[in-house]
Amino acid sequence: DMDERQKSLILNSSSRFPPPQGVRLSYGTAGFRADALLLESTVFRAGILAALRSLKTHSVIGLMITASHNKVSDNGIKVADPSGGMLTQDWEPFADAIANAATPEHLVQLIDEFVKKENIHFHGVRSAEILLGRDTRPSGESLLEAAKQGINSIVGALAIDMGILTTPQLHWMVRARNKGMKATEVDYYEQLSVSFRCLIDLIPNGQKIHEIEDKLVMDGANGIGGEKMEVLKKMLDCLPIEVRNSGKGGGILNEGVGADYVQKEKVVPQGFGFKDVGIRCASLDGDADRLVYFSVPSCDSNMIDLVDGDKILSLFALFIKEQLSVLSMDGNEKISDDYRARFGVIQTAYANGASTDYLKQLGLEIVFTPTGVKYLHEQAAQYDIGIYFEANGHGTILFSECFLSWLETRCNELSSKNQDTEQHKAALRLLAVSKLINQAVGDALSNLLLVEAILQHMGWSIHKWVELYQDLPSRQLKVKVADRTAVVTANAETMVVTPPGIQDAINVEIAKYTRGRSFIRPSGTEDVIRVYAEASTQEAADSLASSVAKLVDQFLGFGSPR
Ligand code: G16
C-alpha cells in the first residue's frame, strides 16, 4: 500500500502538471500520441506508471518519448516492458485512466486502488529503475523532464536518461539489462556489427563474385536514424552506405521524407532524384523502427519501385527457409529426430494480397492480427521462428529460447564432428540472424543490415528483389471524421461492426472490382479513419479507395446524421 508520504509526494508533484482541458487521451496503437503541447501531464503520469511497473516486475522498464512517423509538432510516449517489448495490454486501461484523471486527488485515488489490486510493494531506495530515451523532436527535452518528475514522485524509483536514441535501441537496452547482458549503446553496435560480419563471412565463395557493387543510399527521415547509422557505419568496413536526410541539413522530420511517406505516396523522397536511378535505396522513419527499400526506375517520373515490409518479410522468410532446409528442418515438418521447429509469419490486413499469395506458395503458415506491433509480436512469439511485418515496414524475427538452445547444441555437435559443413554454416547463419535481428521490437538499423547480408548472400540486386512477386496496386487514404471511435472492427480489422450498414456499403463497392479488397479502421496514432484498397489496376485501386472514403464521410463525417 501507499503510505501518506507517498500519496502527498504524488499530490504535490502532479499539481505542477495539470492535464489539458477537454482532451481525452488514450494509450493507442503505440502509446500516447498527440500535439506535444498537450502531453506534459500525460508524460509525467506515464513516468509514474513506468515506476509502478518496475516495482511490480522487479525489472528495468523503458520509457520512450517519440511520435515516430508523425509530424514534428506531435510527440508521444510509450512504455517498454521487461522483455523489451510493448507494455502488457493488461495495464493499458490503467494508463488511460490516470492520463485522464482530472485532479491530483483523483489521480492519487486511482493509483492507490491500482497498487492494492496489483499488490505492488514499495521498498525504498533503488527498487525501481527506468531507462529513458527520446527522439530528435524539440519538444523531447521538456517532456523528458516531465517523465523524470513522474518517476521521482515514486519513492525508490530511479530515472536514467539514456539520451537521444532510436526507439528500438531503447527497447533493446531494456531487454539486455533484464537479461543481465551488457546494455550500452556501444554494446548494441557491437552486437549488430559482429553478427552482420558473421553473416557476410558465411557467404558461399562462388556467390561473392556477384557481390552487389553499388552502394546503398539511406534516407534517415531527418530523424535519429541517420546519425546512428553514421556511427554504425564506422564499424562496418564491408558495407558502403551513403546517408541522406540525416536532419543536419535543415530538413523537417518526416516531411516529404522517410518510410511512411515513401510507402504511402510511392514517390521519391526529398534529397533523392534522377541521379539515383537504378540505385538501391532505403528509407527509415523518424525514430528508426520502420524500414522500406525502393529504387528509382527512370528519369521520367517521380514514381518509385517500392519494396515494402511485406517484401522484406518475404526475403527474410526465403532465407530462413533455405537455412532450415539445409538443416533439413523445413517448415513445420519434423526437422530432425529430436526437434520440430514451428515457423510462421504474421501479417495485418494491410499486407499486399500478392505477398500473402507468395508466402502461401512457399508453404508457410500465415496468421493475421490487427494493426499494431504489440499484436503481431505476441503472435510471432508463439513460434520457434516467427517473422512479423506490417506493410509499413515495422517488423522483426523472433526466435524461441528453446529453438536457440537446440540450435546451439546442434552447432557444437556439427563443429566437433567437423563434417557436413553446409549444415554447420546454416546453423551458424541462423544463430547470427538471431543476434543481428532485434528480439525486442522491429528495428530499422538491424533489419537493414540483415537485408544487406541476405542480398549479398543471394547475389541479388534490388531489381531481382522487386520482381520476387508483383504487388497488387493499392491506395491508402485518410478521412477526418467527427469521432473516430465510432468505428469498431472485427476479424483482424477486415470487417466493420459499427456503424451498422457501412460494411454492406463497402462490400457493394468492392464487388465492382477485379481482385478488389478494401477495409477501414480508426488510426491509433492520428485522429483519422484510414482507408485501404487494392485491385488489379492502379486506377481501380484509386477509385475503390475514393468511393470507400466517400462512404466513411457519409456515415461518419462532420455532416453525417449522428
Ligand atoms: C505505430 C505502430 C505501428 C502502426 C502505426 C500506424 O507506428 O507502432 O504498429 O502500424 O503506428 O498505426 P495507426 O494506423 O493505428 O495510426 P509508428 O512508426 O508510428 O510507431
Side-chain angles (χ1 to χ4, degrees):
D1 280 22
M2 295 204 293
D3 58 20
E4 289 311 313
R5 183 170 78 109
Q6 175 61 76
K7 283 184 192 168
S8 69
L9 201 60
I10 300 175
L11 265 182
N12 288 337
S13 52
S14 65
S15 60
R16 292 196 299 274
F17 296 96
Q21 303 269 300
V23 204
R24 226 198 124 71
L25 291 147
S26 101
Y27 201 91
T29 317
F32 294 106
R33 296 236 177 131
D35 188 301
L37 296 172
L38 299 173
L39 277 175
E40 274 207 345
S41 105
T42 313
V43 170
F44 166 83
R45 292 163 184 210
I48 297 181
L49 180 141
L52 296 176
R53 185 83 190 132
S54 178
L55 284 177
K56 165 89 191 186
T57 58
H58 307 287
S59 305
V60 175
I61 294 292
L63 258 191
M64 183 72 198
I65 298 169
T66 176
S68 193
H69 76 278
N70 297 118
K71 56 180 193 269
V72 64
S73 53
D74 282 359
N75 215 328
I77 185 143
K78 59 181 157 192
V79 180
D81 242 13
S83 64
M86 302 297 182
L87 172 69
T88 174
Q89 287 164 48
D90 299 350
W91 278 43
E92 287 185 12
F94 175 62
D96 285 350
I98 58 170
N100 294 298
T103 61
E105 290 73 19
H106 189 211
L107 177 67
V108 170
Q109 187 201 329
L110 288 171
I111 295 172
D112 194 33
E113 285 165 10
F114 188 73
V115 160
K116 284 188 184 124
K117 185 181 127 232
E118 290 283 329
N119 202 10
I120 295 171
H121 298 287
F122 293 76
H123 298 293
V125 193
R126 275 193 153 227
S127 48
E129 198 172 318
I130 294 89
L131 305 187
L132 288 160
R134 62 182 173 99
D135 69 14
T136 54
R137 286 178 162 77
S139 55
E141 214 167 329
S142 65
L143 291 177
L144 186 98
E145 193 45 43
K148 273 188 187 163
Q149 299 217 21
I151 294 166
N152 290 338
S153 66
I154 297 296
V155 176
L158 181 70
I160 304 175
D161 182 3
M162 306 305 290
I164 297 183
L165 295 174
T166 74
T167 297
Q169 281 181 322
L170 184 80
H171 286 264
W172 183 93
M173 286 172 184
V174 170
R175 180 184 169 84
R177 273 295 308 274
N178 288 319
K179 286 188 146 258
M181 287 155 37
K182 292 195 286 176
T184 66
E185 201 177 338
V186 175
D187 298 320
Y188 169 87
Y189 295 124
E190 274 282 323
Q191 182 168 330
L192 262 59
S193 53
V194 168
S195 49
F196 175 72
R197 168 47 78 190
C198 177
L199 283 172
I200 298 296
D201 289 344
L202 285 162
I203 291 176
N205 274 336
Q207 228 123 301
K208 273 194 182 150
I209 304 162
H210 306 284
E211 200 162 305
I212 302 154
E213 280 158 5
D214 55 355
K215 60 174 186 225
L216 167 72
V217 188
M218 192 193 97
D219 158 24
N222 293 321
I224 185 62
E227 189 184 308
K228 301 298 185 189
M229 181 50 96
E230 294 287 4
V231 182
L232 187 53
K233 207 174 110 175
K234 294 199 184 98
M235 302 167 82
L236 303 167
D237 47 353
C238 47
L239 190 67
I241 302 185
E242 179 190 333
V243 176
R244 293 190 199 153
N245 300 332
S246 66
K248 288 187 198 115
I252 299 169
L253 180 73
N254 296 331
E255 208 173 285
V257 294
D260 193 61
Y261 177 76
V262 165
Q263 188 248 344
K264 298 255 162 56
E265 307 299 327
K266 294 186 203 115
V267 295
V268 176
Q270 268 170 39
F272 289 73
F274 304 150
K275 60 184 183 298
D276 305 310
V277 170
I279 292 184
R280 193 167 74 259
C281 304
S283 273
L284 274 52
D285 71 340
D287 64 340
D289 57 4
R290 294 193 198 183
L291 172 71
V292 297
Y293 271 71
F294 66 93
S295 90
V296 187
S298 81
C299 301
D300 307 335
S301 81
N302 67 345
M303 300 300 286
I304 54 164
D305 283 336
L306 175 70
V307 178
D308 62 2
D310 304 335
K311 222 166 236 177
I312 297 177
L313 187 161
S314 303
L315 181 76
F316 288 180
L318 207 59
F319 181 74
I320 301 265
K321 206 173 140 58
E322 183 189 302
Q323 307 317 312
L324 287 176
S325 47
V326 173
L327 275 168
S328 69
M329 311 176 20
D330 211 351
N332 295 327
E333 310 284 306
K334 189 173 176 195
I335 49 174
S336 80
D337 288 340
D338 60 340
Y339 204 89
R340 191 185 289 266
R342 291 197 68 214
F343 181 23
V345 299
I346 325 296
Q347 298 194 301
T348 72
Y350 287 112
N352 196 280
S355 77
T356 310
D357 290 349
Y358 176 78
L359 294 163
K360 278 188 190 150
Q361 262 175 40
L362 288 183
L364 293 169
E365 187 174 320
I366 309 168
V367 175
F368 286 86
T369 73
T371 299
V373 167
K374 58 189 176 191
Y375 303 116
L376 289 109
H377 191 97
E378 197 176 31
Q379 270 300 323
Q382 309 292 313
Y383 292 90
D384 283 315
I385 305 176
I387 313 185
Y388 69 85
F389 260 91
E390 294 185 308
N392 62 24
H394 262 286
T396 193
I397 310 175
L398 298 184
F399 291 85
S400 75
E401 293 286 347
C402 178
F403 176 67
L404 286 179
S405 73
W406 179 86
L407 199 58
E408 254 159 48
T409 315
R410 189 89 187 101
C411 230
N412 293 337
E413 278 167 20
L414 289 167
S415 72
S416 66
K417 282 189 202 147
N418 203 16
Q419 50 173 302
D420 218 354
T421 50
E422 277 313 308
Q423 283 199 4
H424 187 214
K425 279 184 191 160
L428 286 173
R429 282 188 197 108
L430 289 174
L431 280 175
V433 172
S434 77
K435 296 197 177 93
L436 175 55
I437 206 89
N438 196 319
Q439 296 294 289
V441 79
D443 182 337
L445 294 179
S446 69
N447 286 342
L448 180 145
L449 292 186
L450 184 56
V451 166
E452 292 299 312
I454 296 178
L455 290 180
Q456 285 200 31
H457 174 95
M458 301 200 177
W460 279 16
S461 65
I462 185 156
H463 312 290
K464 179 96 198 248
W465 187 17
V466 166
E467 283 160 12
L468 193 59
Y469 58 79
Q470 206 184 351
D471 277 323
L472 277 168
S474 68
R475 177 62 60 202
Q476 286 193 53
L477 299 173
K478 40 188 179 183
V479 186
K480 281 241 173 229
V481 296
D483 173 16
R484 75 188 200 275
T485 63
V487 173
V488 178
T489 63
N491 294 353
E493 303 179 322
T494 53
M495 222 186 83
V496 191
V497 182
T498 58
I502 191 166
Q503 186 61 54
D504 291 338
I506 294 173
N507 291 345
V508 168
E509 292 307 317
I510 293 174
K512 295 179 185 164
Y513 299 89
T514 313
R515 287 220 70 174
R517 188 168 73 86
S518 179
F519 65 90
I520 66 166
R521 53 175 287 277
S523 161
T525 63
E526 288 171 65
D527 190 13
V528 295
I529 295 292
R530 297 201 194 281
V531 175
Y532 177 86
E534 68 185 29
S536 57
T537 67
Q538 190 60 55
E539 293 68 37
D542 290 352
S543 128
L544 177 55
S546 86
S547 30
V548 172
K550 276 195 200 109
L551 288 174
V552 172
D553 191 53
Q554 256 170 47
F555 278 78
L556 296 139
F558 296 92
S560 63
R562 304 208 73 244

